[in-house]
Amino acid sequence: MSEALNTSGARNAAETAEAAEAERLTNDVIKALKTVYDPEIPADIYELGLIYRIDIGDDGVVEIDMTLTAPGCPVAGEMPIWVKNAVSAVPGVSDVKVNMVFQPPWDQSRMSDEARVALDMW
């Protein structure tokens, strides 16, 4: 009985450590995303609501779905590279895939309160 409890305790500790590492990695990826700014808007792309999905695999591969404030944005070709470079620098990330999506279309309702303050959009 004691051996079964020890095995269960070790498994729970490992699961807790994995969950803590996943949370750290997620937080660090979000911090990295917050370093990327749309050059025409004084708010980062995460707070602007341009990041639609972040998926982090067990192998450290991060897949991001993002959009732009407008499909004709002049940095449309560059911004995914900026995102990839920022997230690639996070310890524990092995690769980054950035998907540009336009559905659903971005609108101001996706902005955080922080972005609204920065843009004086109350």
Side-chain angles (χ1 to χ4, degrees):
M1 178 77 164
S2 166
E3 187 175 314
L5 287 175
N6 286 341
T7 304
S8 176
R11 190 176 331 116
N12 288 341
E15 289 171 0
T16 300
E18 286 176 18
E21 176 59 15
E23 184 175 347
R24 181 210 57 86
L25 190 54
T26 299
N27 290 338
D28 288 352
V29 166
I30 290 170
K31 285 180 193 173
L33 290 169
K34 288 183 172 195
T35 68
V36 180
Y37 283 76
D38 183 316
E40 297 177 342
I41 304 172
D44 68 75
I45 63 170
Y46 188 83
E47 297 299 336
L48 282 172
L50 299 181
I51 303 300
Y52 284 0
R53 183 180 69 89
I54 303 168
D55 182 47
I56 303 173
D58 292 337
D59 54 358
V61 174
V62 178
E63 189 167 353
I64 298 170
D65 289 350
M66 68 170 291
T67 194
L68 303 168
T69 55
C73 179
V75 294
E78 297 169 52
M79 196 173 294
I81 296 167
W82 300 341
V83 168
K84 182 174 181 156
N85 290 342
V87 175
S88 291
V90 173
V93 171
S94 61
D95 193 18
V96 180
K97 298 174 183 171
V98 180
N99 305 309
M100 189 64 67
V101 298
F102 294 100
Q103 292 299 322
W106 179 86
D107 64 52
Q108 294 178 2
S109 69
R110 296 185 171 276
M111 294 184 344
S112 70
D113 289 345
E114 183 178 313
R116 291 179 192 283
V117 168
L119 299 173
D120 197 26
M121 296 184 76
W122 288 101

